[in-house]
Amino acid sequence: MNVFAGFQPKLSEGSKQARLVFLGNIQPDLQRGVREQIPNADLVALDTMNLWIETTRDSLQKTIEVVDLVIINDAEARQLADEPNLIKAARKVLSWGPRGLIVKRGEYGAAMFTKKEYFAIPAYPLEAVFDPTGAGDTFAGGLMGYLASQEKIDEAAMRRAMIFGSVMASFNVEEFGTERVQRLTYDEINQRFREFKRFTHFEEIPFERAVKAVQ
Amino acid sequence: MNVFAGFQPKLSEGSKQARLVFLGNIQPDLQRGVREQIPNADLVALDTMNLWIETTRDSLQKTIEVVDLVIINDAEARQLADEPNLIKAARKVLSWGPRGLIVKRGEYGAAMFTKKEYFAIPAYPLEAVFDPTGAGDTFAGGLMGYLASQEKIDEAAMRRAMIFGSVMASFNVEEFGTERVQRLTYDEINQRFREFKRFTHFEEIPFERAVKAVQ
């Protein structure tokens, strides 16, 4: 028995005009049904999980074929592509159609694969993780929210959106539920964004020049 | 019976003048014995492993107290500090004396902790890992080699050294043994260094400004 029998999401006229769509983690036929109601969206992202990969793989792949961005975790990406090497797994998922694959790696950060680019960031370093529930969802929500604030969704905006999502997730896990996120200020967000820049920055100096400097 | 009984490394006069020292993964008393023979080194780094953490913890901690940099993997860092949270683990190890702790994370990259700074990088994305043997050692060797080429060993040089070590490790795992590294050119190294910059770069734009741009 399918407990979702009869559940067929019907979007309001307003929702059908959405510029950005995030297909939350539900049965992939239903996700595709929603996606088809918003044919003109600029960007449609999708989340999924091991249950759908195992039980509805064909439908899931069909749904992935009609979205722009897949946002899943490390283990799901490998399982989805049936490929232990993440770079190969990403290439395979991208070959199905999406423009991008974002892989969430928990305390190791996140990576984004597109046909031409690769981008990877660490997680915000936290000494106290009070409640990790919803960290991945907060990341995805923050990412989509950031994109919604942008006029142009290009590689640079996607990268900033990943940082923004990571910042939001870092706040979310510091307290129970949505408590911390609810009282967040722009200043706090921007401060962690700047910290991300600080702890990923390095100078690019060709090695030969460095050697010559001491010779 | 200690199979190392009687093994007491004695450095040549030349070695005692070394500016940079890497104490390879041997019994910590022996590491300390070597370290004491080079009191004027600019930077002494140390590698260790679970065996010494489990069997000679006190001696290992005494050795860590007299080095500048600890280079170990993720699991070892948590085990060494007896602390599952890596950020807390790093703080504890640094409290023993070293100026820096570099944590190797395999396919997830590496992170460096100092008293004031945090730096994290992803691994170079490889589709084919032919032989991962020695990846961590190549990382450490590349890192120390890079530092040896630098006049000044500051935070910026340490960060570049981590990229350099990661580049070297990425080449090392592409073939058996040292085959690939032996025929490496500066151009190949610099190309991957530049790629590291490309796949970690993002613009820092305060969020309010981004929002105002579309309002």
Side-chain angles (χ1 to χ4, degrees), chain A residues 55-90:
Chain A
T55 62
T56 58
R57 177 180 282 277
D58 290 349
S59 170
L60 177 56
Q61 189 172 332
K62 272 177 72 179
T63 306
I64 289 174
E65 285 169 9
V66 296
V67 302
D68 302 292
L69 183 63
V70 174
I71 305 176
I72 51 183
N73 73 35
D74 206 299
E76 288 160 354
R78 295 173 211 256
Q79 188 185 15
L80 177 62
D82 193 21
E83 166 57 55
N85 179 289
L86 185 66
I87 321 299
K88 278 187 190 162

PDB file of all heavy atoms in Angstrom, chain A residues 55-90:
ATOM      1  N   THR A  55      14.428   2.323  -4.111  1.00  0.00           N
ATOM      2  CA  THR A  55      13.102   1.776  -4.470  1.00  0.00           C
ATOM      3  C   THR A  55      12.524   2.351  -5.759  1.00  0.00           C
ATOM      4  O   THR A  55      11.654   1.729  -6.369  1.00  0.00           O
ATOM      5  CB  THR A  55      12.093   2.042  -3.328  1.00  0.00           C
ATOM      6  OG1 THR A  55      11.960   3.462  -3.146  1.00  0.00           O
ATOM      7  CG2 THR A  55      12.556   1.396  -2.036  1.00  0.00           C
ATOM      8  N   THR A  56      12.959   3.533  -6.173  1.00  0.00           N
ATOM      9  CA  THR A  56      12.359   4.153  -7.370  1.00  0.00           C
ATOM     10  C   THR A  56      13.443   4.780  -8.235  1.00  0.00           C
ATOM     11  O   THR A  56      13.311   5.920  -8.696  1.00  0.00           O
ATOM     12  CB  THR A  56      11.348   5.264  -6.968  1.00  0.00           C
ATOM     13  OG1 THR A  56      12.043   6.246  -6.183  1.00  0.00           O
ATOM     14  CG2 THR A  56      10.189   4.706  -6.158  1.00  0.00           C
ATOM     15  N   ARG A  57      14.492   4.014  -8.474  1.00  0.00           N
ATOM     16  CA  ARG A  57      15.657   4.552  -9.178  1.00  0.00           C
ATOM     17  C   ARG A  57      15.319   5.111 -10.567  1.00  0.00           C
ATOM     18  O   ARG A  57      15.775   6.195 -10.934  1.00  0.00           O
ATOM     19  CB  ARG A  57      16.730   3.463  -9.300  1.00  0.00           C
ATOM     20  CG  ARG A  57      17.953   3.878 -10.073  1.00  0.00           C
ATOM     21  CD  ARG A  57      18.977   2.761 -10.157  1.00  0.00           C
ATOM     22  NE  ARG A  57      19.745   2.617  -8.926  1.00  0.00           N
ATOM     23  CZ  ARG A  57      20.813   3.366  -8.636  1.00  0.00           C
ATOM     24  NH1 ARG A  57      21.221   4.305  -9.474  1.00  0.00           N
ATOM     25  NH2 ARG A  57      21.469   3.174  -7.525  1.00  0.00           N
ATOM     26  N   ASP A  58      14.509   4.361 -11.360  1.00  0.00           N
ATOM     27  CA  ASP A  58      14.211   4.808 -12.722  1.00  0.00           C
ATOM     28  C   ASP A  58      13.449   6.130 -12.718  1.00  0.00           C
ATOM     29  O   ASP A  58      13.750   7.047 -13.485  1.00  0.00           O
ATOM     30  CB  ASP A  58      13.407   3.746 -13.478  1.00  0.00           C
ATOM     31  CG  ASP A  58      14.269   2.521 -13.785  1.00  0.00           C
ATOM     32  OD1 ASP A  58      15.506   2.605 -13.596  1.00  0.00           O
ATOM     33  OD2 ASP A  58      13.709   1.491 -14.195  1.00  0.00           O
ATOM     34  N   SER A  59      12.457   6.206 -11.834  1.00  0.00           N
ATOM     35  CA  SER A  59      11.674   7.444 -11.754  1.00  0.00           C
ATOM     36  C   SER A  59      12.553   8.603 -11.288  1.00  0.00           C
ATOM     37  O   SER A  59      12.460   9.722 -11.794  1.00  0.00           O
ATOM     38  CB  SER A  59      10.496   7.263 -10.791  1.00  0.00           C
ATOM     39  OG  SER A  59       9.887   8.503 -10.554  1.00  0.00           O
ATOM     40  N   LEU A  60      13.418   8.300 -10.331  1.00  0.00           N
ATOM     41  CA  LEU A  60      14.309   9.341  -9.808  1.00  0.00           C
ATOM     42  C   LEU A  60      15.203   9.878 -10.923  1.00  0.00           C
ATOM     43  O   LEU A  60      15.373  11.090 -11.075  1.00  0.00           O
ATOM     44  CB  LEU A  60      15.140   8.775  -8.650  1.00  0.00           C
ATOM     45  CG  LEU A  60      16.182   9.714  -8.037  1.00  0.00           C
ATOM     46  CD1 LEU A  60      15.530  11.018  -7.552  1.00  0.00           C
ATOM     47  CD2 LEU A  60      16.905   9.041  -6.870  1.00  0.00           C
ATOM     48  N   GLN A  61      15.755   8.955 -11.705  1.00  0.00           N
ATOM     49  CA  GLN A  61      16.629   9.413 -12.797  1.00  0.00           C
ATOM     50  C   GLN A  61      15.849  10.273 -13.797  1.00  0.00           C
ATOM     51  O   GLN A  61      16.348  11.300 -14.272  1.00  0.00           O
ATOM     52  CB  GLN A  61      17.289   8.217 -13.499  1.00  0.00           C
ATOM     53  CG  GLN A  61      18.351   8.685 -14.487  1.00  0.00           C
ATOM     54  CD  GLN A  61      19.176   7.552 -15.082  1.00  0.00           C
ATOM     55  OE1 GLN A  61      19.353   6.506 -14.450  1.00  0.00           O
ATOM     56  NE2 GLN A  61      19.675   7.753 -16.302  1.00  0.00           N
ATOM     57  N   LYS A  62      14.610   9.862 -14.106  1.00  0.00           N
ATOM     58  CA  LYS A  62      13.759  10.653 -15.018  1.00  0.00           C
ATOM     59  C   LYS A  62      13.529  12.062 -14.457  1.00  0.00           C
ATOM     60  O   LYS A  62      13.474  13.038 -15.201  1.00  0.00           O
ATOM     61  CB  LYS A  62      12.390   9.961 -15.210  1.00  0.00           C
ATOM     62  CG  LYS A  62      12.372   8.943 -16.337  1.00  0.00           C
ATOM     63  CD  LYS A  62      11.025   8.239 -16.454  1.00  0.00           C
ATOM     64  CE  LYS A  62       9.905   9.125 -17.020  1.00  0.00           C
ATOM     65  NZ  LYS A  62       8.623   8.364 -17.133  1.00  0.00           N
ATOM     66  N   THR A  63      13.366  12.144 -13.144  1.00  0.00           N
ATOM     67  CA  THR A  63      13.145  13.452 -12.519  1.00  0.00           C
ATOM     68  C   THR A  63      14.423  14.283 -12.564  1.00  0.00           C
ATOM     69  O   THR A  63      14.403  15.485 -12.859  1.00  0.00           O
ATOM     70  CB  THR A  63      12.645  13.286 -11.068  1.00  0.00           C
ATOM     71  OG1 THR A  63      11.487  12.445 -11.086  1.00  0.00           O
ATOM     72  CG2 THR A  63      12.277  14.622 -10.456  1.00  0.00           C
ATOM     73  N   ILE A  64      15.546  13.625 -12.284  1.00  0.00           N
ATOM     74  CA  ILE A  64      16.832  14.348 -12.325  1.00  0.00           C
ATOM     75  C   ILE A  64      17.092  14.897 -13.729  1.00  0.00           C
ATOM     76  O   ILE A  64      17.666  15.983 -13.889  1.00  0.00           O
ATOM     77  CB  ILE A  64      17.977  13.427 -11.831  1.00  0.00           C
ATOM     78  CG1 ILE A  64      17.841  13.206 -10.324  1.00  0.00           C
ATOM     79  CG2 ILE A  64      19.340  14.009 -12.186  1.00  0.00           C
ATOM     80  CD1 ILE A  64      18.810  12.201  -9.728  1.00  0.00           C
ATOM     81  N   GLU A  65      16.612  14.174 -14.739  1.00  0.00           N
ATOM     82  CA  GLU A  65      16.802  14.628 -16.126  1.00  0.00           C
ATOM     83  C   GLU A  65      16.145  15.982 -16.407  1.00  0.00           C
ATOM     84  O   GLU A  65      16.555  16.686 -17.320  1.00  0.00           O
ATOM     85  CB  GLU A  65      16.234  13.573 -17.104  1.00  0.00           C
ATOM     86  CG  GLU A  65      17.127  12.341 -17.227  1.00  0.00           C
ATOM     87  CD  GLU A  65      16.459  11.178 -17.973  1.00  0.00           C
ATOM     88  OE1 GLU A  65      15.366  11.389 -18.553  1.00  0.00           O
ATOM     89  OE2 GLU A  65      17.018  10.064 -17.951  1.00  0.00           O
ATOM     90  N   VAL A  66      15.119  16.329 -15.628  1.00  0.00           N
ATOM     91  CA  VAL A  66      14.394  17.574 -15.902  1.00  0.00           C
ATOM     92  C   VAL A  66      14.599  18.657 -14.829  1.00  0.00           C
ATOM     93  O   VAL A  66      13.816  19.593 -14.726  1.00  0.00           O
ATOM     94  CB  VAL A  66      12.872  17.313 -16.107  1.00  0.00           C
ATOM     95  CG1 VAL A  66      12.660  16.447 -17.354  1.00  0.00           C
ATOM     96  CG2 VAL A  66      12.251  16.633 -14.878  1.00  0.00           C
ATOM     97  N   VAL A  67      15.650  18.508 -14.022  1.00  0.00           N
ATOM     98  CA  VAL A  67      15.966  19.587 -13.072  1.00  0.00           C
ATOM     99  C   VAL A  67      17.327  20.192 -13.425  1.00  0.00           C
ATOM    100  O   VAL A  67      18.074  19.642 -14.239  1.00  0.00           O
ATOM    101  CB  VAL A  67      15.968  19.108 -11.590  1.00  0.00           C
ATOM    102  CG1 VAL A  67      14.610  18.502 -11.218  1.00  0.00           C
ATOM    103  CG2 VAL A  67      17.114  18.152 -11.317  1.00  0.00           C
ATOM    104  N   ASP A  68      17.626  21.338 -12.800  1.00  0.00           N
ATOM    105  CA  ASP A  68      18.888  22.034 -13.077  1.00  0.00           C
ATOM    106  C   ASP A  68      19.981  21.692 -12.080  1.00  0.00           C
ATOM    107  O   ASP A  68      21.164  21.738 -12.404  1.00  0.00           O
ATOM    108  CB  ASP A  68      18.645  23.546 -13.030  1.00  0.00           C
ATOM    109  CG  ASP A  68      17.584  23.974 -14.015  1.00  0.00           C
ATOM    110  OD1 ASP A  68      17.843  23.884 -15.224  1.00  0.00           O
ATOM    111  OD2 ASP A  68      16.479  24.353 -13.576  1.00  0.00           O
ATOM    112  N   LEU A  69      19.552  21.380 -10.867  1.00  0.00           N
ATOM    113  CA  LEU A  69      20.533  21.245  -9.787  1.00  0.00           C
ATOM    114  C   LEU A  69      20.112  20.120  -8.835  1.00  0.00           C
ATOM    115  O   LEU A  69      18.957  20.066  -8.409  1.00  0.00           O
ATOM    116  CB  LEU A  69      20.578  22.574  -9.022  1.00  0.00           C
ATOM    117  CG  LEU A  69      21.571  22.750  -7.887  1.00  0.00           C
ATOM    118  CD1 LEU A  69      23.001  22.656  -8.403  1.00  0.00           C
ATOM    119  CD2 LEU A  69      21.347  24.112  -7.206  1.00  0.00           C
ATOM    120  N   VAL A  70      21.045  19.233  -8.531  1.00  0.00           N
ATOM    121  CA  VAL A  70      20.796  18.162  -7.562  1.00  0.00           C
ATOM    122  C   VAL A  70      21.609  18.488  -6.313  1.00  0.00           C
ATOM    123  O   VAL A  70      22.800  18.786  -6.411  1.00  0.00           O
ATOM    124  CB  VAL A  70      21.205  16.787  -8.138  1.00  0.00           C
ATOM    125  CG1 VAL A  70      21.077  15.695  -7.092  1.00  0.00           C
ATOM    126  CG2 VAL A  70      20.372  16.466  -9.375  1.00  0.00           C
ATOM    127  N   ILE A  71      20.942  18.473  -5.158  1.00  0.00           N
ATOM    128  CA  ILE A  71      21.626  18.786  -3.886  1.00  0.00           C
ATOM    129  C   ILE A  71      21.458  17.592  -2.958  1.00  0.00           C
ATOM    130  O   ILE A  71      20.380  17.371  -2.401  1.00  0.00           O
ATOM    131  CB  ILE A  71      21.034  20.047  -3.211  1.00  0.00           C
ATOM    132  CG1 ILE A  71      21.053  21.244  -4.181  1.00  0.00           C
ATOM    133  CG2 ILE A  71      21.795  20.388  -1.935  1.00  0.00           C
ATOM    134  CD1 ILE A  71      20.393  22.511  -3.630  1.00  0.00           C
ATOM    135  N   ILE A  72      22.500  16.785  -2.819  1.00  0.00           N
ATOM    136  CA  ILE A  72      22.412  15.565  -2.002  1.00  0.00           C
ATOM    137  C   ILE A  72      23.686  15.399  -1.182  1.00  0.00           C
ATOM    138  O   ILE A  72      24.627  16.185  -1.328  1.00  0.00           O
ATOM    139  CB  ILE A  72      22.201  14.304  -2.879  1.00  0.00           C
ATOM    140  CG1 ILE A  72      23.234  14.242  -4.011  1.00  0.00           C
ATOM    141  CG2 ILE A  72      20.780  14.289  -3.451  1.00  0.00           C
ATOM    142  CD1 ILE A  72      23.045  13.055  -4.958  1.00  0.00           C
ATOM    143  N   ASN A  73      23.712  14.380  -0.329  1.00  0.00           N
ATOM    144  CA  ASN A  73      24.946  14.202   0.435  1.00  0.00           C
ATOM    145  C   ASN A  73      25.910  13.237  -0.268  1.00  0.00           C
ATOM    146  O   ASN A  73      25.585  12.637  -1.288  1.00  0.00           O
ATOM    147  CB  ASN A  73      24.662  13.837   1.899  1.00  0.00           C
ATOM    148  CG  ASN A  73      24.167  12.405   2.071  1.00  0.00           C
ATOM    149  OD1 ASN A  73      24.589  11.484   1.358  1.00  0.00           O
ATOM    150  ND2 ASN A  73      23.258  12.207   3.015  1.00  0.00           N
ATOM    151  N   ASP A  74      27.069  13.160   0.304  1.00  0.00           N
ATOM    152  CA  ASP A  74      28.185  12.398  -0.243  1.00  0.00           C
ATOM    153  C   ASP A  74      27.802  10.946  -0.549  1.00  0.00           C
ATOM    154  O   ASP A  74      27.956  10.452  -1.685  1.00  0.00           O
ATOM    155  CB  ASP A  74      29.294  12.431   0.819  1.00  0.00           C
ATOM    156  CG  ASP A  74      30.668  12.274   0.250  1.00  0.00           C
ATOM    157  OD1 ASP A  74      30.924  11.238  -0.351  1.00  0.00           O
ATOM    158  OD2 ASP A  74      31.491  13.188   0.426  1.00  0.00           O
ATOM    159  N   ALA A  75      27.266  10.264   0.451  1.00  0.00           N
ATOM    160  CA  ALA A  75      26.911   8.845   0.293  1.00  0.00           C
ATOM    161  C   ALA A  75      25.808   8.681  -0.750  1.00  0.00           C
ATOM    162  O   ALA A  75      25.836   7.736  -1.551  1.00  0.00           O
ATOM    163  CB  ALA A  75      26.458   8.274   1.638  1.00  0.00           C
ATOM    164  N   GLU A  76      24.849   9.594  -0.769  1.00  0.00           N
ATOM    165  CA  GLU A  76      23.764   9.515  -1.746  1.00  0.00           C
ATOM    166  C   GLU A  76      24.282   9.688  -3.171  1.00  0.00           C
ATOM    167  O   GLU A  76      23.809   9.016  -4.095  1.00  0.00           O
ATOM    168  CB  GLU A  76      22.706  10.586  -1.438  1.00  0.00           C
ATOM    169  CG  GLU A  76      21.877  10.294  -0.189  1.00  0.00           C
ATOM    170  CD  GLU A  76      21.184  11.527   0.385  1.00  0.00           C
ATOM    171  OE1 GLU A  76      21.422  12.659  -0.102  1.00  0.00           O
ATOM    172  OE2 GLU A  76      20.413  11.350   1.359  1.00  0.00           O
ATOM    173  N   ALA A  77      25.247  10.575  -3.342  1.00  0.00           N
ATOM    174  CA  ALA A  77      25.799  10.809  -4.685  1.00  0.00           C
ATOM    175  C   ALA A  77      26.460   9.549  -5.226  1.00  0.00           C
ATOM    176  O   ALA A  77      26.268   9.160  -6.383  1.00  0.00           O
ATOM    177  CB  ALA A  77      26.797  11.967  -4.645  1.00  0.00           C
ATOM    178  N   ARG A  78      27.222   8.884  -4.360  1.00  0.00           N
ATOM    179  CA  ARG A  78      27.908   7.651  -4.780  1.00  0.00           C
ATOM    180  C   ARG A  78      26.897   6.543  -5.056  1.00  0.00           C
ATOM    181  O   ARG A  78      27.035   5.767  -5.992  1.00  0.00           O
ATOM    182  CB  ARG A  78      28.898   7.201  -3.692  1.00  0.00           C
ATOM    183  CG  ARG A  78      30.035   8.201  -3.482  1.00  0.00           C
ATOM    184  CD  ARG A  78      30.905   7.804  -2.276  1.00  0.00           C
ATOM    185  NE  ARG A  78      31.481   8.957  -1.614  1.00  0.00           N
ATOM    186  CZ  ARG A  78      32.765   9.347  -1.726  1.00  0.00           C
ATOM    187  NH1 ARG A  78      33.594   8.652  -2.453  1.00  0.00           N
ATOM    188  NH2 ARG A  78      33.200  10.415  -1.110  1.00  0.00           N
ATOM    189  N   GLN A  79      25.865   6.461  -4.192  1.00  0.00           N
ATOM    190  CA  GLN A  79      24.848   5.426  -4.342  1.00  0.00           C
ATOM    191  C   GLN A  79      24.010   5.672  -5.607  1.00  0.00           C
ATOM    192  O   GLN A  79      23.716   4.752  -6.373  1.00  0.00           O
ATOM    193  CB  GLN A  79      23.944   5.420  -3.110  1.00  0.00           C
ATOM    194  CG  GLN A  79      22.960   4.253  -3.075  1.00  0.00           C
ATOM    195  CD  GLN A  79      21.983   4.350  -1.902  1.00  0.00           C
ATOM    196  OE1 GLN A  79      21.849   5.407  -1.283  1.00  0.00           O
ATOM    197  NE2 GLN A  79      21.307   3.249  -1.624  1.00  0.00           N
ATOM    198  N   LEU A  80      23.669   6.931  -5.813  1.00  0.00           N
ATOM    199  CA  LEU A  80      22.853   7.306  -6.967  1.00  0.00           C
ATOM    200  C   LEU A  80      23.551   6.928  -8.270  1.00  0.00           C
ATOM    201  O   LEU A  80      22.934   6.401  -9.199  1.00  0.00           O
ATOM    202  CB  LEU A  80      22.583   8.820  -6.921  1.00  0.00           C
ATOM    203  CG  LEU A  80      21.808   9.445  -8.074  1.00  0.00           C
ATOM    204  CD1 LEU A  80      20.411   8.847  -8.163  1.00  0.00           C
ATOM    205  CD2 LEU A  80      21.717  10.962  -7.879  1.00  0.00           C
ATOM    206  N   ALA A  81      24.846   7.184  -8.324  1.00  0.00           N
ATOM    207  CA  ALA A  81      25.597   6.904  -9.554  1.00  0.00           C
ATOM    208  C   ALA A  81      26.158   5.487  -9.566  1.00  0.00           C
ATOM    209  O   ALA A  81      26.713   5.054 -10.578  1.00  0.00           O
ATOM    210  CB  ALA A  81      26.734   7.911  -9.696  1.00  0.00           C
ATOM    211  N   ASP A  82      26.009   4.766  -8.456  1.00  0.00           N
ATOM    212  CA  ASP A  82      26.591   3.434  -8.307  1.00  0.00           C
ATOM    213  C   ASP A  82      28.084   3.468  -8.654  1.00  0.00           C
ATOM    214  O   ASP A  82      28.579   2.708  -9.488  1.00  0.00           O
ATOM    215  CB  ASP A  82      25.843   2.434  -9.204  1.00  0.00           C
ATOM    216  CG  ASP A  82      26.197   0.988  -8.844  1.00  0.00           C
ATOM    217  OD1 ASP A  82      26.667   0.764  -7.707  1.00  0.00           O
ATOM    218  OD2 ASP A  82      26.015   0.096  -9.695  1.00  0.00           O
ATOM    219  N   GLU A  83      28.768   4.389  -8.002  1.00  0.00           N
ATOM    220  CA  GLU A  83      30.170   4.666  -8.342  1.00  0.00           C
ATOM    221  C   GLU A  83      30.867   5.207  -7.085  1.00  0.00           C
ATOM    222  O   GLU A  83      30.483   6.266  -6.586  1.00  0.00           O
ATOM    223  CB  GLU A  83      30.181   5.703  -9.482  1.00  0.00           C
ATOM    224  CG  GLU A  83      31.521   6.360  -9.757  1.00  0.00           C
ATOM    225  CD  GLU A  83      32.625   5.375 -10.074  1.00  0.00           C
ATOM    226  OE1 GLU A  83      32.462   4.569 -11.006  1.00  0.00           O
ATOM    227  OE2 GLU A  83      33.643   5.385  -9.346  1.00  0.00           O
ATOM    228  N   PRO A  84      31.865   4.479  -6.571  1.00  0.00           N
ATOM    229  CA  PRO A  84      32.501   4.924  -5.318  1.00  0.00           C
ATOM    230  C   PRO A  84      33.336   6.202  -5.442  1.00  0.00           C
ATOM    231  O   PRO A  84      33.482   6.938  -4.473  1.00  0.00           O
ATOM    232  CB  PRO A  84      33.387   3.736  -4.924  1.00  0.00           C
ATOM    233  CG  PRO A  84      33.582   2.952  -6.172  1.00  0.00           C
ATOM    234  CD  PRO A  84      32.371   3.178  -7.027  1.00  0.00           C
ATOM    235  N   ASN A  85      33.892   6.457  -6.637  1.00  0.00           N
ATOM    236  CA  ASN A  85      34.682   7.683  -6.798  1.00  0.00           C
ATOM    237  C   ASN A  85      33.741   8.857  -7.034  1.00  0.00           C
ATOM    238  O   ASN A  85      32.957   8.871  -7.992  1.00  0.00           O
ATOM    239  CB  ASN A  85      35.659   7.525  -7.975  1.00  0.00           C
ATOM    240  CG  ASN A  85      36.479   8.788  -8.205  1.00  0.00           C
ATOM    241  OD1 ASN A  85      35.961   9.810  -8.669  1.00  0.00           O
ATOM    242  ND2 ASN A  85      37.756   8.749  -7.880  1.00  0.00           N
ATOM    243  N   LEU A  86      33.818   9.863  -6.139  1.00  0.00           N
ATOM    244  CA  LEU A  86      32.849  10.960  -6.179  1.00  0.00           C
ATOM    245  C   LEU A  86      32.931  11.779  -7.465  1.00  0.00           C
ATOM    246  O   LEU A  86      31.913  12.260  -7.970  1.00  0.00           O
ATOM    247  CB  LEU A  86      33.047  11.880  -4.963  1.00  0.00           C
ATOM    248  CG  LEU A  86      32.021  13.000  -4.828  1.00  0.00           C
ATOM    249  CD1 LEU A  86      30.627  12.431  -4.555  1.00  0.00           C
ATOM    250  CD2 LEU A  86      32.423  13.968  -3.724  1.00  0.00           C
ATOM    251  N   ILE A  87      34.128  11.947  -7.994  1.00  0.00           N
ATOM    252  CA  ILE A  87      34.286  12.762  -9.201  1.00  0.00           C
ATOM    253  C   ILE A  87      33.612  12.050 -10.392  1.00  0.00           C
ATOM    254  O   ILE A  87      32.898  12.665 -11.180  1.00  0.00           O
ATOM    255  CB  ILE A  87      35.794  13.011  -9.515  1.00  0.00           C
ATOM    256  CG1 ILE A  87      36.602  13.247  -8.235  1.00  0.00           C
ATOM    257  CG2 ILE A  87      35.945  14.143 -10.511  1.00  0.00           C
ATOM    258  CD1 ILE A  87      36.211  14.417  -7.402  1.00  0.00           C
ATOM    259  N   LYS A  88      33.827  10.740 -10.465  1.00  0.00           N
ATOM    260  CA  LYS A  88      33.165   9.957 -11.516  1.00  0.00           C
ATOM    261  C   LYS A  88      31.656   9.940 -11.299  1.00  0.00           C
ATOM    262  O   LYS A  88      30.874  10.014 -12.248  1.00  0.00           O
ATOM    263  CB  LYS A  88      33.682   8.512 -11.510  1.00  0.00           C
ATOM    264  CG  LYS A  88      34.986   8.316 -12.243  1.00  0.00           C
ATOM    265  CD  LYS A  88      35.302   6.808 -12.316  1.00  0.00           C
ATOM    266  CE  LYS A  88      36.719   6.576 -12.822  1.00  0.00           C
ATOM    267  NZ  LYS A  88      37.189   5.214 -12.503  1.00  0.00           N
ATOM    268  N   ALA A  89      31.248   9.792 -10.038  1.00  0.00           N
ATOM    269  CA  ALA A  89      29.815   9.783  -9.716  1.00  0.00           C
ATOM    270  C   ALA A  89      29.172  11.092 -10.178  1.00  0.00           C
ATOM    271  O   ALA A  89      28.094  11.092 -10.790  1.00  0.00           O
ATOM    272  CB  ALA A  89      29.612   9.588  -8.214  1.00  0.00           C
ATOM    273  N   ALA A  90      29.846  12.194  -9.910  1.00  0.00           N
ATOM    274  CA  ALA A  90      29.308  13.501 -10.296  1.00  0.00           C
ATOM    275  C   ALA A  90      29.178  13.602 -11.814  1.00  0.00           C
ATOM    276  O   ALA A  90      28.167  14.072 -12.341  1.00  0.00           O
ATOM    277  CB  ALA A  90      30.216  14.609  -9.766  1.00  0.00           C
TER     278      ALA A  90
END
